[in-house]
Amino acid sequence: MASETHRALILTSTSTPASVENVPKPRATPGSAVVRIIVANVLPYARAIYSGNRDAPFPTPLVIGSTAIGRVDSVGPDASCLSQGQLVWVGCMIRARDDPNNSILFGYRTGPTEAGKKLIEGEWRDATYATYAKFAKVPLENCYILNERRLMSSPTDGGLGYSYDDLSFLSIHFLAYGGLRDLNVQAGETIIVAPATGSFGGAAVRVALALGARVIAAGRNLDKLKSIAEISDMVEIVQLKGDDVQADALKLMSFGVVDAFLDFSLPEAGNSTHIESCLTVLKIKGRAALMGGVRGRVSIPYFLIMFKSLQLRGNFMCERDHAWGLIKLCEQGLLKLGSSAMHSILGKYPLEEYEKAFEVAGKTPGYGAQVLLAP
């Protein structure tokens, strides 16, 4: 009997376009599930990644992809909770089971360790397909079961009335939730999010509010900051100069005690002084996490960090428990998705139009706008 096939977007080289090909459908093996992809997220920097213009190494050929919403098609024999037909969110952070310090980003990045490279060069490359395909073979622990009745039923039936497209916005909030949880942000605390006007920073503002925190949203674009201020009276805004540590610190201090600071700086923000300004205003034993993409060196107030016993950490991605926590926040209606949160889909494209999807995604105006592929 001929093997069943499906369509997948395959990249053979960063110097040539990807192509949609018919390939054998993956089979579920122990420790995995096969998921039929409904919609997959397109990163704003997807074009840069897959053209080799971003520091995100990966082997080729490779079926590419990111996070996704899908339905379980089949499961391995050791699955205890997953079953065929369940609606799931597919997370892209794959960790080695024998050492979770080794990891990859499914479909677009080799791990930071030599041991982690085995994941993307072995089982989770040749024997599988990422989410820019009709079917994806995924580790069981990367399939997060969604309460479909609660999330998708109409409000008259006790549901939240979300669509598959709405649920795709879980992905942009995942990183923010993980950062806030690792900072142990509590209800009633005050946190600086900077810059707050991008996709990840904007998500962090919303998640922090859902957790009950007060937010100081900081950035350079005053119009975007004013829009963020309209979300809640628990949001304060500060327009940063980014070239005067003390001037920006004085603005931030005007709102009283600051418990924590979450940074999502873009790669080009290496020369900005805003990180030093934000660290300067933290309370004694305040906490800070760096989750942005700055490649170079940044200035930090060494003596102040020591003298105030500040906790400064880097955060790369998130943990599995963070995904479950985020999903619960959405299922309880505390974190809104879709039109109720002013989210919009700028385009949903078939695999053949991936280049158009990458182009549109690269022009997204920040938080709240998203591009999807629908295999």
Side-chain angles (χ1 to χ4, degrees):
M1 184 176 70
S3 62
E4 189 177 354
T5 63
H6 75 132
R7 298 160 64 255
L9 187 60
I10 299 178
L11 186 71
T12 57
S13 168
T14 56
S15 60
T16 57
S19 60
V20 179
E21 300 181 18
N22 284 316
V23 294
K25 179 183 174 182
R27 294 179 179 272
T29 55
S32 72
V34 173
V35 177
R36 178 173 59 83
I37 303 301
I38 299 172
V39 289
N41 300 83
V42 177
L43 295 167
Y45 40 87
R47 173 171 283 177
I49 290 174
Y50 297 123
S51 63
N53 293 321
R54 193 178 178 98
D55 183 20
F58 52 83
T60 55
L62 183 72
V63 175
I64 58 180
S66 182
T67 50
I69 298 294
R71 287 195 183 279
V72 176
D73 179 74
S74 58
V75 297
D78 56 339
S80 61
C81 297
L82 285 175
S83 60
Q84 187 179 40
Q86 286 178 317
L87 186 68
V88 294
W89 176 69
V90 177
C92 66
M93 184 73 166
I94 296 181
R95 295 188 182 275
R97 290 168 180 147
D98 54 351
D99 184 355
N101 290 316
N102 299 316
S103 62
I104 63 170
L105 296 180
F106 192 34
Y108 69 94
R109 187 182 178 92
T110 299
T113 65
E114 286 297 317
K117 291 180 181 178
K118 293 181 180 180
L119 294 172
I120 201 169
E121 293 176 351
E123 175 66 14
W124 302 111
R125 173 192 175 191
D126 298 328
T128 188
Y129 306 102
T131 57
Y132 293 171
K134 186 66 176 177
F135 295 95
K137 180 182 174 184
V138 183
L140 291 175
E141 57 267 36
N142 282 63
C143 296
Y144 298 92
I145 302 169
L146 301 176
N147 185 337
E148 185 172 0
R149 180 175 180 180
R150 168 62 174 161
L151 291 168
M152 302 192 72
S153 293
S154 69
T156 56
D157 293 327
L160 294 169
Y162 292 147
S163 65
Y164 297 129
D165 293 359
D166 294 335
L167 295 178
S168 71
F169 281 93
L170 280 167
S171 299
I172 194 63
H173 295 91
F174 176 45
L175 203 62
Y177 183 89
L180 291 163
R181 273 304 180 213
D182 280 343
L183 281 173
N184 194 30
V185 172
Q186 302 294 314
E189 289 193 318
T190 297
I191 180 169
I192 297 171
V193 175
T197 54
S199 296
F200 295 116
V205 171
R206 274 73 174 183
V207 175
L209 291 171
L211 293 172
R214 174 177 175 244
V215 179
I216 300 174
R220 295 189 181 187
N221 189 315
L222 185 57
D223 289 337
K224 288 186 176 181
L225 289 173
K226 288 179 178 178
S227 177
I228 292 172
E230 295 175 359
I231 299 171
S232 168
D233 57 8
M234 291 286 285
V235 175
E236 309 288 354
I237 61 172
V238 172
Q239 185 180 29
L240 300 174
K241 296 180 64 177
D243 59 3
D244 189 327
V245 174
Q246 292 305 316
D248 286 342
L250 285 171
K251 295 178 186 177
L252 294 164
M253 282 190 285
S254 66
F255 297 106
V257 175
V258 178
D259 301 280
F261 161 48
L262 182 58
D263 176 80
F264 279 109
S265 292
L266 295 174
E268 54 268 26
N271 294 325
S272 174
T273 60
H274 75 276
I275 294 176
E276 185 172 359
S277 298
C278 293
L279 291 172
T280 298
V281 305
L282 289 176
K283 71 174 187 179
I284 292 175
K285 295 187 178 180
R287 298 99 67 197
L290 307 180
M291 299 190 74
V294 176
R295 298 298 193 270
R297 299 173 184 271
V298 297
S299 176
I300 62 171
Y302 182 102
F303 183 77
L304 182 140
I305 292 172
M306 180 281 297
F307 191 69
K308 295 175 73 173
S309 301
L310 300 183
Q311 300 174 23
L312 175 61
R313 61 183 294 160
N315 267 44
F316 177 65
M317 297 301 290
C318 308
E319 304 297 330
R320 191 164 186 257
D321 286 348
H322 295 152
W324 287 121
L326 173 66
I327 290 168
K328 289 178 181 177
L329 207 62
C330 292
E331 290 178 347
Q332 294 298 328
L334 297 172
L335 179 65
K336 304 295 184 183
L337 303 174
S339 58
S340 60
M342 295 183 290
H343 293 161
S344 62
I345 301 297
L346 297 182
K348 185 162 61 173
Y349 301 91
L351 294 178
E352 289 81 3
E353 296 182 26
Y354 80 91
E355 288 187 284
K356 179 64 174 177
F358 287 4
E359 177 186 354
V360 175
K363 298 176 181 178
T364 52
Y367 176 82
Q370 191 161 262
V371 175
L372 302 172
L373 283 176

